[in-house]
Amino acid sequence: MLTEGEAALTRNDLDEAEKIYARVITLETDQYDAVLLTAVLNSKRGRYAEAIQALNRALRHSRLETRETTFLAALETTGELSQLPAGTRPLCLLAHYHRYLRNSDHAQAASAIRYAKAAIAVGDHADDCWFTIGVVHRAQNKPHASLEALLRAIALNPRHAGALHAAGNIHQERGDLLNERRMRAAALAAAPDDVFYAEPLLDLLILRAGDYREAVTVGETIRTRQPQNAVANGRLGEAYALLGEYAVAERYLRKALDNDAGMVRAHYGLAWTLLQQRKYDDAIKECEASIALALRGERAAFARELYWLLAGLYQRQRRYQEVVEVSTQAIRIGLQNGDIYALLCSAYYELNAVREYDACVPELLSRYTGGVIALPSVPEAMRTLGLPLPIR
């Protein structure tokens, strides 16, 4: 479909190209090439405001185009726009194109800022220009200058979702939870149908603020507008699980996976929810599915946590050989905390693997962080180190 769109764009059939790119975006939300080329065709039509909107949509993601021809089309369009007569040149749009080109050439940052400031001087989408300046400064590792520019964009347009979101990112980096939450909530209010702004707010509420009730409220509001939204269903499931409403959580997590079976986090959440309901066999299946997805997507950090959860499930079923295999794999890919060694040592003990148990215990003790180690037998090493003994 992207090839068909490029062919239509090359023969200047802009209406056909627009229809094709719209279909691509329906199949894959915010597909970078399609969104960027939508900006290109709107630029050719003279619909500069729509082109700016499309560029902002593409550039809010860290990924890049998948085709060199997409880059060349954007580069060519930048050159064409810059050659227009001075009075008709779309300065703000050019600032956005140079912001895009900065991804390949950092020297383009200066051009992006220069065009943005020129556009502000003549009142050409000043809010989007300050937003562009803020984003460029953030890429240059100038968070103070970036936040100042973003706040100027917000002052001009309090519903500029992109600027609110970017300001929220800076507050998050600073550990300013209150201001981050304020910005995240405002960004979603400005663009209530865009899950891009819903996801970071839900993550803040669930993972850092611990406000699970508010997460449920936000998630249910999104579901009212988009019942099949996988992210909203997945985060709702997590929130309900953390509130102890496991059956409800399971229902939402299964809905999320029905909409997007590739959501590793939803598989993990469902496995944990099933564990709380003592549905161990089903939880193991979800863990195994999650691990396969995580390893395929090169998400080793997530895979390590999944291996730890799976090892705990096998231990509950007294499948000690599987505990050894899974724990060993988790350690092999970088999980080195005391919990995984406690599971491994315990499994060796139950299997009467004395040599392996004796080798495992020092590894566990070297990672000991306090509290009672839940092992069925306490080695002499614990007494030597003066560690507390469990009461039998």
Side-chain angles (χ1 to χ4, degrees), residues 381-392:
M382 290 192 71
R383 296 191 183 89
T384 302
L385 292 174
L387 301 177
L389 302 179
I391 299 173
R392 292 186 175 279

Side-chain angles (χ1 to χ4, degrees), residues 62-135:
S62 58
R63 57 181 180 266
L64 295 174
E65 67 279 342
T66 62
R67 296 172 165 225
E68 292 183 3
T69 48
T70 301
F71 169 78
L72 293 173
L75 182 64
E76 181 182 34
T77 301
T78 306
E80 292 172 350
L81 294 173
S82 66
Q83 295 303 311
L84 292 174
T88 62
R89 214 171 287 161
L91 299 173
C92 180
L93 179 56
L94 278 164
H96 282 72
Y97 272 115
H98 281 280
R99 174 186 154 202
Y100 159 71
L101 293 173
R102 196 211 67 84
N103 291 328
S104 302
D105 176 11
H106 289 182
Q108 297 300 316
S111 297
I113 292 174
R114 185 177 69 252
Y115 274 116
K117 288 183 176 178
I120 291 168
V122 297
D124 178 7
H125 297 86
D127 57 338
D128 284 312
C129 289
W130 281 117
F131 172 53
T132 290
I133 292 171
V135 172

Side-chain angles (χ1 to χ4, degrees), residues 149-161:
L150 293 170
L151 292 177
R152 295 186 76 162
I154 295 166
L156 289 169
N157 179 6
R159 295 184 64 79
H160 196 298

Side-chain angles (χ1 to χ4, degrees), residues 5-116:
E6 286 179 12
L9 197 59
T10 301
R11 63 176 182 268
N12 208 35
D13 188 348
L14 302 183
D15 289 338
E16 180 63 18
E18 183 177 34
K19 291 176 184 176
I20 292 169
Y21 294 139
R23 291 206 303 272
V24 173
I25 294 167
T26 299
L27 290 172
E28 183 182 332
T29 303
D30 286 359
Q31 202 284 332
Y32 198 96
D33 298 76
V35 178
L36 187 58
L37 290 169
T38 298
V40 167
L41 67 87
N42 279 323
S43 300
K44 292 180 180 295
R45 286 171 165 169
R47 298 179 181 174
Y48 298 144
E50 293 177 38
I52 290 170
Q53 185 178 12
L55 276 167
N56 278 332
R57 192 172 189 91
L59 294 173
R60 69 189 188 178
H61 297 285
S62 58
R63 57 181 180 266
L64 295 174
E65 67 279 342
T66 62
R67 296 172 165 225
E68 292 183 3
T69 48
T70 301
F71 169 78
L72 293 173
L75 182 64
E76 181 182 34
T77 301
T78 306
E80 292 172 350
L81 294 173
S82 66
Q83 295 303 311
L84 292 174
T88 62
R89 214 171 287 161
L91 299 173
C92 180
L93 179 56
L94 278 164
H96 282 72
Y97 272 115
H98 281 280
R99 174 186 154 202
Y100 159 71
L101 293 173
R102 196 211 67 84
N103 291 328
S104 302
D105 176 11
H106 289 182
Q108 297 300 316
S111 297
I113 292 174
R114 185 177 69 252
Y115 274 116

Side-chain angles (χ1 to χ4, degrees), residues 281-311:
D281 290 336
D282 290 340
I284 287 170
K285 290 177 184 177
E286 288 302 323
C287 272
E288 291 171 343
S290 301
I291 289 169
L293 286 169
L295 294 176
R296 195 181 310 144
E298 298 183 353
R299 299 179 66 181
F302 223 124
R304 289 194 290 267
E305 295 301 316
L306 288 162
Y307 275 122
W308 174 70
L309 179 59
L310 183 57

Side-chain angles (χ1 to χ4, degrees), residues 151-206:
L151 292 177
R152 295 186 76 162
I154 295 166
L156 289 169
N157 179 6
R159 295 184 64 79
H160 196 298
L164 291 162
H165 171 75
N169 289 342
I170 293 176
H171 287 306
Q172 179 180 352
E173 291 166 2
R174 292 177 170 182
D176 186 347
L177 189 63
L178 181 62
N179 278 315
E180 181 196 352
R181 181 169 178 169
R182 183 168 58 88
M183 292 295 177
R184 301 281 189 218
L188 181 58
D193 293 323
D194 195 339
V195 71
F196 179 83
Y197 301 113
E199 191 168 355
L201 176 59
L202 288 168
D203 284 346
L204 179 153
L205 295 171
I206 293 170

